[in-house]
């Protein structure tokens, strides 16, 4: 029996784990794989809006996918731990690749490869031979001069009676690879410096703790403050006119850190100009900058795309906001049978008691607090054919979905118009529940009727839904709210129904039947009673209960006409009690009165779904502007610029500089007379241009006198 044995010495010695890891990190395939991951992450960061509040993502994707995306930090991809880790590995991998290959490339660039042999040259694809009666030395000199004139660097080596001319051109092509790879390293390092990595390192290693609750900057502990010499940060600050700021706020996930600044920024004046569409055309801040160390100060103007740069910090004009405007409002009660008003004062960003001293006691109001969240002095809405907020005629069932509609509906033809100031506030009850409201100060023309728009929503991600309450001749809500209040009076409703029936009997003349008139009065009074109990929603429920489905639409049309006529009479009763003149019964004024009553019916029906017992109307204001600045210290910016320059140079070198090498072996002729020349030429890329250049060089050598082609 014969056995075989394999000697361990016959196998290549296995390398250690460290050497294998080093080989992996330094491989080009690993670097390219990392680049692919970065590209994919960048696609996600481009498609998915970054750094938005969490509830925005929950509403958009749902709780399940929100948690999945949050696990991988897809909502802030560029500062995710795994993205920064990939960037770090890419820096290491590309650096090792450069360290390993750059010396070889530099040596190859400097080398003329003049130790090539004649037999090796004969194996080249691009080669040619020439014979000349000139002496070998003279021929070698002429060839060297020819190559130099064509931009080649030439090195000569003599080997016995033969002379080798080694020439090269375009060696800078190799620099392209070095520049491109170095650019990747520099850009990644710059990106890491300007990312959240320096701040997160301070959180992980230096004990910094983001703050998650509101507090005054003076009360922020040392753990919540970054150092004045923090190498890199991006922060924001809101400065009202006349206000000062010497700290920025750095957001870290859902928390914040305070970043002290080396200077104090005081906003002297904020300037804003608008396009006709209501979009800002220009906004700028006139500021005074005071050096915290020396006390020196100087004025500056900060505009969009024209930032302020001082002491390594760049201050950008980001946006603008309200700086704490003072507001005077009038509260209109929406419950009960007695209309009344009361004053409310406040400041944007502050809170106020809803019922002031001296206002009537009202259980529905006493537990409510108003929080003023916003104010806009200009609101440009899009009018289409002279209308804003216009809606198509609706059937009764469509009216039931009340408290709906936009403040401005976009039409085919754009006609933008400023509709004046608006105020935004929240009403919060004793349990902490709140609704947000958006009310315009001035009435807006909707379908030929001037109405006050009062929007409501339950959370910031919703659009406002607007109630349209008609304005009276004094451009106030007094008459509408008086009509709402008198609707709660049974005696007034009965009187209005009786007048409505009597007016119809008079219109019918002698043909009118007393019994039919009594039935009409009862029907009108029932319609008013049902409407007063819950608006058009109550009427819809009544019809669904008492009328067959096939007859409901016809019955609804009849009830809407009854209600419109009875409400017109109720408005007449209310005007009599208020001492106002009677409404005209003919002409355009009568049509306007009918349209006003129809708008009032829709608005009063909407108020049954309005989630507040009061509406606040803006009476006066003192506007205070505020500027929002972004402040950043970005030391990696210059590194990125340098990397971009190197990348451009590298790409240009790789694609537009072609390396060519030429060897000319010159030796005495076979009979000892003249010279015999062997030419060989090569390039990294054998393109059509290279073939043409080879043919031109052959022709130039053949044209050297005195010689003949062999």
């Amino acid at each position: 029996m014969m056995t075989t044995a394999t000697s361990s010495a016959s196998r290549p010695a296995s390398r250690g784990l460290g050497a294998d890891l080093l080989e992996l990190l330094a491989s080009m395939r690993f670097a390219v794989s990392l680049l692919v991951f970065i590209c994919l992450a960048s696609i996600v960061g481009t498609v998915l809006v970054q750094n938005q509040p969490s509830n925005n993502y929950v509403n958009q994707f749902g709780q399940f996918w929100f948690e999945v995306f949050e696990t991988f930090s897809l909502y802030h991809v560029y500062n995710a731990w795994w993205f920064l880790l990939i960037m770090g590995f890419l820096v290491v991998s590309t650096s090792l690749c450069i360290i390993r290959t750059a010396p070889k490339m530099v040596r190859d660039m400097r080398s003329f490869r003049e130790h090539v042999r004649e037999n090796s040259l004969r194996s080249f694809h691009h080669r040619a031979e020439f014979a000349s009666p000139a002496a070998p030395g003279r021929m070698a000199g002429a060839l060297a001069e020819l190559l130099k004139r064509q931009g080649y660097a030439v090195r000569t080596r003599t080997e016995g009676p033969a002379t080798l001319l080694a020439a090269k051109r375009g060696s800078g092509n190799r620099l392209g690879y070095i520049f491109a790879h170095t650019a990747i390293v520099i850009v990644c390092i710059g990106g890491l410096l300007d990312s959240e990595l320096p701040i997160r390192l301070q959180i992980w290693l230096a004990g910094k703790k983001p703050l998650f609750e509101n507090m005054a900057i003076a009360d922020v502990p040392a753990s919540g403050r970054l150092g004045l010499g923090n190498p890199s940060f991006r922060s924001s600050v809101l400065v009202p006119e006349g206000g000062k700021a010497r700290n920025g706020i750095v957001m870290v996930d859902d928390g914040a850190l305070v970043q002290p600044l080396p200077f104090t920024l005081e906003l002297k004046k904020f300037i804003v100009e608008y396009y006709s569409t209501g979009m800002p055309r220009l906004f700028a801040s006139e500021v005074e900058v005071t050096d915290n160390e020396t006390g020196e100060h100087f004025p500056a103007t900060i505009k969009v795309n024209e930032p302020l740069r001082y002491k390594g910090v760049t201050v950008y004009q980001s946006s603008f906001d309200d700086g704490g405007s003072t507001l005077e409002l009038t509260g209109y009660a929406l419950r009960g049978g007695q209309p009344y008003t009361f004053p409310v004062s406040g400041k944007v960003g502050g809170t106020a008691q809803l019922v002031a001293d001296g206002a009537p006691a009202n259980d529905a109001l006493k537990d409510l607090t108003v929080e003023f969240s916003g104010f806009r002095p200009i609101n440009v809405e899009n009018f289409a054919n002279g209308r804003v907020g216009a809606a198509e005629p609706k059937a009764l069932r469509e009216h039931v979905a009340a408290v709906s509609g936009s403040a401005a509906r976009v039409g085919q033809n754009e006609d933008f118009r400023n509709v004046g100031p608006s105020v935004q506030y929240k009403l919060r009850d004793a349990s902490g529940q709140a609704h947000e409201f958006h009310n315009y100060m001035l009435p807006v023309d909707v379908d030929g009727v001037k109405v006050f728009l009062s929007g409501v929503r339950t959370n910031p991600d919703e659009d406002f839904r607007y109630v349209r309450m008609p304005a009276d001749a004094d451009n106030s809500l007094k008459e509408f709210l008086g009509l709402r209040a008198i609707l709660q009076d049974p005696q007034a409703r009965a009187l209005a129904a009786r007048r409505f029936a009597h007016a119809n009997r008079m219109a019918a003349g002698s043909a009118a039947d007393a019994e039919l008139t009594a039935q009409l009065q009862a029907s009108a009074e029932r319609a008013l009673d049902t409407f007063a109990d819950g608006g058009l929603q109550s009427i819809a429920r009544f019809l669904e209960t008492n009328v067959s489905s096939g007859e409901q639409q016809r019955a609804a049309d009849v009830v809407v006409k009854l209600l419109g006529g009875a409400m017109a009479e109720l408005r007449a009763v209310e005007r009599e009690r208020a001492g106002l003149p009677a409404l005209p019964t003919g002409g355009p004024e009568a049509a306007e009165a009918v349209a006003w009553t129809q708008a009032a019916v829709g608005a009063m029906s909407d108020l049954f779904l309005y989630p507040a017992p009061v509406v606040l109307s803006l009476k006066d204001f003192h506007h205070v502007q505020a500027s929002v600045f972004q402040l950043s210290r970005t030391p990696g910016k210059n590194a990125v610029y340098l990397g971009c320059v190197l990348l451009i140079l590298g790409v240009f070198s790789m694609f537009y500089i072609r390396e060519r090498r030429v060897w000319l072996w010159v030796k005495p002729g076979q009979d000892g007379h003249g010279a015999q020349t062997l030419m060989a030429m090569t390039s990294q890329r054998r393109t059509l241009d290279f073939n043409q250049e080879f043919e031109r060089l052959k022709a130039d050598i053949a044209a050297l006198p005195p010689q003949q082609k062999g």
Side-chain angles (χ1 to χ4, degrees):
M1 183 177 63
M2 183 172 61
T3 62
T4 61
T6 302
S7 171
S8 61
S10 65
R11 296 195 307 262
S14 60
R15 295 180 301 180
L17 179 61
D20 291 337
L21 289 176
L22 185 63
E23 181 69 22
L24 174 64
L25 286 175
S27 67
M28 185 60 66
R29 286 174 296 183
F30 185 70
V32 171
S33 300
L34 294 176
L35 274 175
V36 170
F37 277 113
I38 289 177
C39 291
L40 293 175
S42 299
I43 293 174
V44 173
T46 302
V47 174
L48 185 63
V49 180
Q50 300 288 290
N51 302 316
Q52 297 294 305
S54 299
N55 57 340
N56 288 11
Y57 298 116
V58 173
N59 293 331
Q60 184 176 1
F61 301 109
Q63 186 65 35
F64 173 78
W65 287 111
F66 165 77
E67 293 178 357
V68 172
F69 293 166
E70 180 67 18
T71 301
F72 297 99
S73 302
L74 298 185
Y75 304 130
H76 39 86
V77 169
Y78 303 112
N79 288 301
W81 65 268
W82 54 267
F83 185 84
L84 298 177
L85 184 63
I86 291 176
M87 290 272 286
F89 271 116
L90 182 60
V91 170
V92 173
S93 176
T94 310
S95 299
L96 291 175
C97 200
I98 294 172
I99 293 171
R100 187 175 67 174
T101 59
K104 298 178 183 178
M105 289 186 175
V106 173
R107 287 196 299 268
D108 191 61
M109 286 172 52
R110 300 176 62 182
S111 171
F112 283 82
R113 302 180 187 176
E114 68 270 22
H115 297 288
V116 67
R117 309 301 301 172
E118 180 181 5
N119 291 336
S120 299
L121 296 179
R122 294 186 182 278
S123 65
F124 279 58
H125 181 269
H126 291 78
R127 68 182 186 278
E129 293 189 43
F130 307 89
S132 172
R138 182 181 175 186
M139 185 63 182
L143 291 171
E145 290 298 325
L146 173 64
L147 292 173
K148 290 177 180 179
R149 285 198 303 269
Q150 296 189 5
Y152 285 87
V154 182
R155 179 171 292 183
T156 303
R157 183 175 66 86
T158 302
E159 186 173 333
T163 301
L164 174 66
L165 282 75
K168 63 178 181 176
R169 181 181 176 186
S171 296
N173 172 272
R174 301 300 180 99
L175 289 175
Y177 294 94
I178 299 175
F179 286 165
H181 287 74
T182 304
I184 293 175
V185 173
I186 293 176
V187 169
C188 289
I189 291 176
L192 289 172
L193 287 175
D194 290 350
S195 69
E196 289 185 0
L197 182 60
I199 292 177
R200 291 191 179 274
L201 287 176
Q202 295 180 62
I203 295 174
W204 297 334
L205 305 176
K208 298 299 180 182
K209 297 179 180 179
L211 304 173
F212 296 94
E213 64 276 358
N214 292 327
M215 65 172 62
I217 291 182
D219 299 332
V220 174
S223 61
R225 296 177 179 269
L226 298 168
L228 186 63
N230 186 24
S232 173
F233 64 84
R234 296 179 184 273
S235 64
S236 61
V237 63
L238 184 146
V239 186
E241 285 182 328
K244 299 181 180 180
R246 57 189 304 170
N247 296 280
I249 304 299
V250 179
M251 301 305 299
V252 182
D253 296 333
D254 293 329
L257 292 168
V258 175
Q259 173 61 60
L261 304 174
F263 53 83
T264 299
L265 206 62
E266 180 179 1
L267 180 61
K268 293 293 187 180
K269 184 179 180 182
F270 182 79
I271 304 168
V272 60
E273 298 176 2
Y274 296 90
Y275 289 108
S276 61
T277 60
M279 296 297 293
R281 184 178 67 86
L282 166 71
F283 49 96
S285 299
E286 294 181 358
V287 301
E288 184 173 89
V289 183
T290 303
D291 192 307
N292 293 338
E293 184 177 356
T294 64
E296 297 180 358
H297 56 87
F298 59 90
T301 300
I302 305 174
K303 300 180 181 179
V304 177
N305 298 326
E306 296 182 20
L308 166 70
R309 294 181 175 87
Y310 185 64
K311 284 204 163 184
V313 178
T314 304
V315 183
Y316 297 93
Q317 179 70 64
S318 174
S319 62
F320 59 92
D321 207 335
D322 192 274
S325 299
T326 56
L327 308 173
E328 298 291 333
L329 302 98
T330 299
Y332 292 90
L334 301 179
R335 303 287 186 269
Q338 293 296 325
Y340 67 92
T341 62
F342 54 91
V344 179
S345 300
K347 184 178 181 180
V348 174
T351 60
Q353 288 298 118
L354 188 59
V355 180
D357 293 339
N362 190 302
D363 293 338
L365 302 179
K366 65 180 182 180
D367 294 330
L368 292 178
T369 302
V370 59
E371 303 171 0
F372 298 102
S373 55
F375 168 76
R376 293 187 63 183
I378 294 176
N379 290 274
V380 178
E381 300 292 359
N382 186 355
F383 285 70
N385 299 323
R387 303 189 307 166
V388 62
E392 296 298 325
K394 297 179 181 179
L396 176 61
R397 293 179 180 275
E398 294 172 308
H399 276 296
V400 172
V403 195
S404 62
S406 65
R409 180 165 299 187
V410 178
Q412 296 297 321
N413 300 315
E414 295 184 347
D415 182 14
F416 292 95
R417 188 181 307 168
N418 179 20
V419 296
S422 67
V423 64
Q424 200 162 313
Y425 61 88
K426 292 180 180 178
L427 288 179
R428 193 175 300 277
D429 59 23
S431 65
Q433 298 296 317
H435 289 83
E436 190 171 14
F437 300 86
H438 181 221
N439 296 349
Y440 288 83
M441 180 179 184
L442 303 176
V444 179
D445 191 298
V446 177
D447 289 339
V449 180
K450 287 187 176 182
V451 297
F452 285 94
L453 298 172
S454 179
V456 59
R457 64 184 181 186
T458 56
N459 66 72
D461 298 318
E462 294 180 353
D463 292 330
F464 282 104
R465 298 165 296 159
Y466 287 84
V467 175
R468 304 177 177 96
M469 295 174 283
D472 55 26
D474 296 328
N475 283 334
S476 74
L477 288 171
K478 185 177 180 181
E479 184 175 357
F480 168 74
L481 294 176
L483 181 60
R484 183 213 61 79
I486 202 172
L487 180 65
Q488 305 301 316
D489 183 356
Q491 295 180 355
R493 294 197 300 267
L495 176 59
R498 185 165 62 252
R499 287 187 177 185
F500 172 70
H502 177 72
N504 277 270
R505 181 178 181 180
M506 295 299 294
S510 59
D513 185 278
E515 184 178 352
L516 291 177
T517 301
Q519 292 177 359
L520 182 61
Q521 178 181 339
S523 297
E525 187 172 354
R526 187 181 304 111
L528 286 175
D529 292 344
T530 306
F531 183 75
D533 186 54
L536 294 174
Q537 297 86 349
S538 291
I539 293 178
R541 289 192 295 269
F542 175 83
L543 294 177
E544 289 175 354
T545 304
N546 298 280
V547 181
S548 62
S549 58
E551 296 294 323
Q552 285 181 10
Q553 185 58 54
R554 189 173 66 86
D557 295 337
V558 173
V559 171
V560 168
K561 291 179 180 179
L562 277 175
L563 181 63
M567 286 295 294
E569 293 297 337
L570 186 64
R571 182 187 180 192
V573 173
E574 190 269 335
R575 289 178 66 87
E576 289 175 7
R577 292 184 178 182
L580 297 174
L583 293 170
T585 58
E589 293 81 4
E592 291 176 2
V594 171
W596 191 98
T597 303
Q598 291 175 346
V601 170
M604 275 189 274
S605 180
D606 288 350
L607 288 180
F608 284 100
L609 299 178
Y610 195 73
V614 64
V615 61
L616 302 183
S617 178
L618 184 61
K619 179 182 178 182
D620 197 5
F621 60 89
H622 174 67
H623 188 211
V624 179
Q625 296 271 28
S627 189
V628 180
F629 297 111
Q630 284 190 350
L631 307 100
S632 64
R633 179 178 287 154
T634 53
K637 177 179 62 178
N638 293 331
V640 172
Y641 290 158
L642 175 61
C644 291
V645 172
L646 287 177
L647 185 60
I648 293 172
L649 293 175
V651 172
F652 179 84
S653 300
M654 286 189 291
F655 286 96
Y656 295 99
I657 298 178
R658 296 177 291 109
E659 184 186 43
R660 285 89 76 202
R661 290 181 180 270
V662 178
W663 292 270
L664 294 166
W665 187 275
V666 183
K667 64 180 181 180
Q670 293 182 356
D671 55 358
H673 298 285
Q676 187 174 355
T677 303
L678 172 63
M679 181 191 78
M681 188 174 182
T682 189
S683 176
Q684 290 177 326
R685 294 187 296 273
R686 296 178 182 178
T687 62
L688 180 61
D689 290 341
F690 171 72
N691 293 331
Q692 293 174 349
E693 185 174 356
F694 174 71
E695 295 298 330
R696 285 196 300 269
L697 185 58
K698 281 175 55 178
D700 291 341
I701 294 176
L704 286 175
Q707 61 185 18
Q708 63 187 32
K709 186 174 179 180

